[in-house]
Amino acid sequence: MTDKPVKVLFVCLGNICRSPSAEAVFIEKVKAAGLSDRFEIDSAGILSVHAGEPADARMRKHATARGYKLESRSRPVTPRDFFDFDYIIGMDHANIRDLLDRAPDKQSQAKISLFLSFAPHLDREEVPDPYYGGAAGFEEVLDLCEEASEKLLAALQHEC
Ligand code: 4NP
């Protein structure tokens, strides 16, 4: 156990669907485990086109139905994030490639991982982008976020 909180940043392309959902779900898992003061949790996007916007209204509707509050506003990943955060977690392989490209050094590259790599039992690698699809895609994002958040918390708990 250290005094410093574990800092986790979830990243997707637009920061209006998948990563705000991962952030909200992980916040709830951490809260349920009584570890809220041991973590700092945020999300960001590869793109900056949605900067300042709330999460996508469809994503918020599906998340609210499961009791999650998507309160973050979209912001792009910044160079500082690579120093500030301990874990930088992308939703798909394209996110990982973009993050690795932007990471300033090897030490920051080592912080980057694929969200579903924490949940190998799912036998899936990516949280699919729901932006251009229908309701099922938003539900799938939440299903995957719930499974992977539980496993991520189990993996990080030893650092608290
Ligand atoms: P997200 O979904 O990466 O899960 O936030 C997307 C949102 C917006 C866009 C792409 C993906 N977009 O191209 O605007």
Side-chain angles (χ1 to χ4, degrees), residues 11-21 44-47 49-50 53 55-56 58-59 74 91-92 95 127-132 138 141:
V11 176
C12 64
L13 186 58
N15 191 212
I16 55 171
C17 296
R18 292 167 292 172
S19 58
S21 300
I46 298 296
L47 301 178
V49 285
H50 296 287
E53 293 176 18
D56 183 281
R58 298 163 297 171
M59 192 72 253
S74 177
M91 298 295 129
D92 61 30
N95 300 156
V127 181
D129 185 347
Y131 192 65
Y132 296 104
F138 293 95
V141 166

Side-chain angles (χ1 to χ4, degrees), residues 8-13 18-19 22 44 46 77 87-99 111-118 125-127 148 152:
V8 179
L9 182 69
F10 294 101
V11 176
C12 64
L13 186 58
R18 292 167 292 172
S19 58
I46 298 296
V77 172
Y87 294 89
I88 300 174
I89 299 178
M91 298 295 129
D92 61 30
H93 287 295
N95 300 156
I96 298 298
R97 277 194 297 277
D98 289 333
L99 287 166
K111 299 176 174 183
I112 299 166
S113 52
L114 205 50
F115 194 23
L116 298 191
S117 69
F118 291 92
E125 294 189 356
E126 303 190 305
V127 181
L152 176 63

Side-chain angles (χ1 to χ4, degrees), residues 34-113:
L35 293 169
S36 296
D37 60 338
R38 304 301 314 134
F39 282 91
E40 280 183 34
I41 303 157
D42 197 3
S43 67
I46 298 296
L47 301 178
S48 53
V49 285
H50 296 287
E53 293 176 18
D56 183 281
R58 298 163 297 171
M59 192 72 253
R60 277 189 280 131
K61 188 184 104 185
H62 286 273
T64 302
R66 295 195 193 196
Y68 301 112
K69 283 197 202 110
L70 268 55
E71 291 177 320
S72 65
R73 297 245 166 198
S74 177
R75 71 164 181 89
V77 172
T78 66
R80 246 203 102 106
D81 288 328
F82 292 98
F83 294 102
D84 283 349
F85 287 90
D86 304 305
Y87 294 89
I88 300 174
I89 299 178
M91 298 295 129
D92 61 30
H93 287 295
N95 300 156
I96 298 298
R97 277 194 297 277
D98 289 333
L99 287 166
L100 288 171
D101 276 353
R102 292 181 190 196
D105 54 24
K106 291 262 178 239
Q107 208 181 332
S108 5
Q109 283 193 334
K111 299 176 174 183
I112 299 166
S113 52

